[in-house]
Every structure is written in C-alpha cells, then in structure tokens.
Amino acid sequence: MSETVTLLHPLDDALQLTNVGPGLFRGRTTPAYWNMAGPFGGTTGALMLKAVMEHPERRGRPAALTVNFCAAVAEGEFEVAVRLVRDGRSTQHWTVEMTQEGRGVATTASVVTAAERETWSHRFAAPPPMAPPSDVPELDISQRSGWMTAYEMRFAEGPPERREPAVGDVRSAYSKLWVRDRPARPLDYPALAAMSDSFVVRLLQVRGDIPPIATATLTTYFLGDEAALARQGDRPLIGVADGRQFQHGFNDQTAELWSDDGELLALSTQIVWFKG
Amino acid sequence: MSETVTLLHPLDDALQLTNVGPGLFRGRTTPAYWNMAGPFGGTTGALMLKAVMEHPERRGRPAALTVNFCAAVAEGEFEVAVRLVRDGRSTQHWTVEMTQEGRGVATTASVVTAAERETWSHRFAAPPPMAPPSDVPELDISQRSGWMTAYEMRFAEGPPERREPAVGDVRSAYSKLWVRDRPARPLDYPALAAMSDSFVVRLLQVRGDIPPIATATLTTYFLGDEAALARQGDRPLIGVADGRQFQHGFNDQTAELWSDDGELLALSTQIVWFKG
C-alpha cells in the first residue's frame, strides 16, 4: 500500500481551519509562525480573513480587514466565529472573533468584502525605486526563529538591527525591502494579510532595542484584485514601512505592499503599544 | 419665572446619547450634520466613540477607532450597544454596534482605549508649511448645506470644486487646509473623530464629479493626549488628505490632523467605495 503525502506550505498549515458549525471554525497555532509571546499577528489576522472567505455566504473578494489584538493568543487550539453583519448589494460587512477555551476573546476583526468590478481608475502613487531582488542580499535568519524565518526579506533600506540604545541616536523609521513567503508561495489574500504585518516593529530600527511591545490594532486595505495577485504569483513584493510619531506609549506604523510591476496591492496601518 | 436656556453646540447636540441600559445608549440624527443619503459619517464615528467614553468601565483615553459603515443610517432614532471585549492592564478593547428599529445593524466599530502615560518619544513627521488661518480664505458655504457647513475650512491647496469631468483632466488628490468646528468649539476626542472624516471625498477633486460613493470603513488613531487637545483648544487644526490609488470601485484616503504647534493629533485612513 502506498501513501500519498501532501506537503502543506507552512502558511497553509498555519491557516488551516475546520468548519465545526454555522460560521464557526477551529484552528491551532503552529511553531513556524511563533513570535515572542504568541503567534505572529500577521497569521492571526490572516486566519480572521480566511474564516470569512470560507463562509458559504461570502461573495466577492476582501476589500478591508481590521484586526484588534485584544490579548495574547496561547499556544494551542482556538475557535473563530464569523458573523455576516450586513449583506449589501455592493459590499458585505463581517465581524469575526477568535476565542480560546477558558481564556475568552483573544482577537476581534471586521472585514469588508466586495464584488469584483471594473471602474474608472487612476494611480497616483508608485513604489520606490528598487534594485532587482537578486541584487539585494537576503536578511540573515540563521540566528532567528519563528515567523521571521517564514519570510524571505531583502532590505534595500532600514533592516532590523539591534544596537545599544544611546541618547541622540535616533534613526529613521523608514524601510524598503523585497519580501515574500519562504518557501515561495503564490500570493493570495490571506498571504497578503499576513505580509502586511511582516514589517518588524519600527521602534527597533529607530531606537535599537525592543521593549515590551504589541500591535493594538491593524488595518489593511486590499487594493489589488484577484487578477493582480495572480499576476504577481510567487515573486517578491516591494514592501515599504514607516512610522511618524512615537509618544505616550504608542506609535503609528504605515506599510505598503506593491506588486513588482508597480501596483499598490495593499495599504496597511497599525498602532503599536510600547512600554518604556 | 425665568427660564435658563442652554445652547448646545451643534456637535454636542448631534452626539447626545441617553443611557437606557447596561452598555446601551439611545440617540438620534440631527439636520446640522446631514449628508447626501444619511448623517455625516464623521458624527456616526464620533457617536460610536462617545458611547465607549460614556461607559462606566472605560479607563484611559481613546487610542484607536475603526468604524464600519454597513448601511445608511436613516433619519431618526438609533441605539448604540457597547461591549467591553477585553479589559487588559494597559489597554481596553471595545466593540460597538449601532442599530435602528426594523433596519438592523447600520454601523459597527472597534475602539481601543489606553491609560495616559509618559514614555520615550520622538516625532519624525511635521505638518506641511501653512500660511496662518487669517491669510487663507474660508471655503464659501453659502451654496452648501448639512455637515459641510458645520466646519470652518480654509483650503491652502486642493479645495472641493465641481467641474466637468474630462478625459485626461485628472488632478491631484492632495489637500491641505485649516479646519475647525463651526462655531468654534474646544477640541476633544469625539470632535477629532468626526473631523477625521471631514475631508471631502478625493474623487471630487481628482475627477471633478461625485458619483454614487460611500466610505466602507474608517480607522483613526489618536496620537495626541488629553493635554495636547486642551492646548489646541478651539483654534483651527492643520488637515492633510490624500489618496493613492483609484481602481476596481475603491480608493484609499489618508488624512492627518495636526495641532497648530506641530503635533500629529490624529492619523486616519479610509477605503471609499465608488460607482462608475
């Protein structure tokens, strides 16, 4: 007797959901996307989005996702409950909650889906100039573990580097890089959602260290359609991240993900809580 | 017998909520903030935020607000239900729903509140250069009604102007202006939340007309603390708005609201649905 072994991509493994009731899904964390105190927020967001996409009443593609990181997700199983709040002619509005037994709500999300359609279009913005991926060295991940090893990152500017914080040594919050899943994987909306959180916390670059820190809430708009994601395939995307203001224990972080032919596929903002 | 008449500011009137049960508030739309097909989204967002702020278990100040405009709000009464999803040590996570009798859910929101605290701080960004408000003419509102008359707007660049759309005539989506409530009113978080949606839809500037259009979801981060809002008082803020990409029936819109002494008080993004 022969066995067929299907090797799942680590992202598809992390995003596996089992439908266990109407609008109710079960999943579990995986070591491949572990972060310091819980799973990588990007995969948590992608799970919230994927649960909506697997709902039988979902029409169209994702247009927007807001993920609220209410509490750390513990290692192990979780449930994701999806509710169709409003089924409009042109858009659907969804709310999603991730809970863990005995721990209450870990994550909430809202999602907007919309039918694909063609309209008047204009692009004002363009990605920053970048040398081709092959000319930009890969970030060395030999000393890293968890989610940071799940991305191939080629920083053209602003790589994540620890250094001794020093008064007056404040560096730019701006980064630009080529980024894709490792191993390479064709782009889809869950992958794009996860990638929108793959920009290392700005404070590390700016100050050189990572104090206790957590994203409070993350919003991603999906501006590229299915065809644009298919055209991009598994090639590296251009990622740009920045932060404007760090004070009162919070900072903003803005990110853009561009196709390699110059289309803005996703625009993302988050507010990051930090201590000290 | 003498009567004392208290004149409420139109914004305070629009944001009046009556507590009618645990976490449950009742309000109604007002003509002062009417928009084309419902109340101004800014006041709807401000109502969602204010309901959280009036909840007895709320600690700290707003840090983030996401408002999902699921359906048009009809003229008349509505209920706002607030739920404290997670009461953490440093942040509280809230969800909010606005419903109207017989019409279901009109609006959902998520809010993050956080205790005021001082930390390491750094500001990378600065507002664009602006002539003082007295040197920038006020937008003429004599031909306008509803919410647009509820703001004093002084556009230094990118005023809202209808024109005949013409092939090839695509103008910048960028605007900068001085903006404040009309009549002037001391700044607070609900006012700031409303103001974050006071930037006229970018498509009007870009193309010259307004097709059927609606904000699908709006996210605002409150980066300024109570003291910064108090310092700003009722003087005009610097507002900046832009849009990057218009396609497939959606465009992004980003906005910044700066104090007149150069602090970024709020950062806002929305995704706008449009037809044609």
Side-chain angles (χ1 to χ4, degrees), chain B residues 139-178:
Chain B
L139 183 72
D140 177 11
I141 53 161
S142 59
Q143 303 301 313
R144 302 186 191 257
S145 63
W147 77 270
M148 277 201 68
T149 66
Y151 289 98
E152 180 190 313
M153 297 177 172
R154 298 170 184 271
F155 282 87
E157 205 176 323
E161 283 170 345
R162 277 185 189 266
R163 62 182 196 279
E164 199 59 46
V167 176
D169 177 20
V170 173
R171 300 192 192 167
S172 166
Y174 180 85
S175 289
K176 65 176 188 181
L177 75 161
W178 290 105

Side-chain angles (χ1 to χ4, degrees), chain A residues 68 70 108, chain B residues 51-52 55-59 82-86 92-96 109-113:
Chain A
N68 302 293
C70 307
T108 65
Chain B
V52 168
H55 195 285
E57 291 178 60
R58 191 261 311 170
R59 289 177 288 113
V82 175
R83 182 166 67 106
L84 176 54
V85 176
R86 196 86 187 198
Q92 288 180 319
H93 281 268
W94 304 84
T95 59
V96 193
S110 49
V111 172
V112 181
T113 53

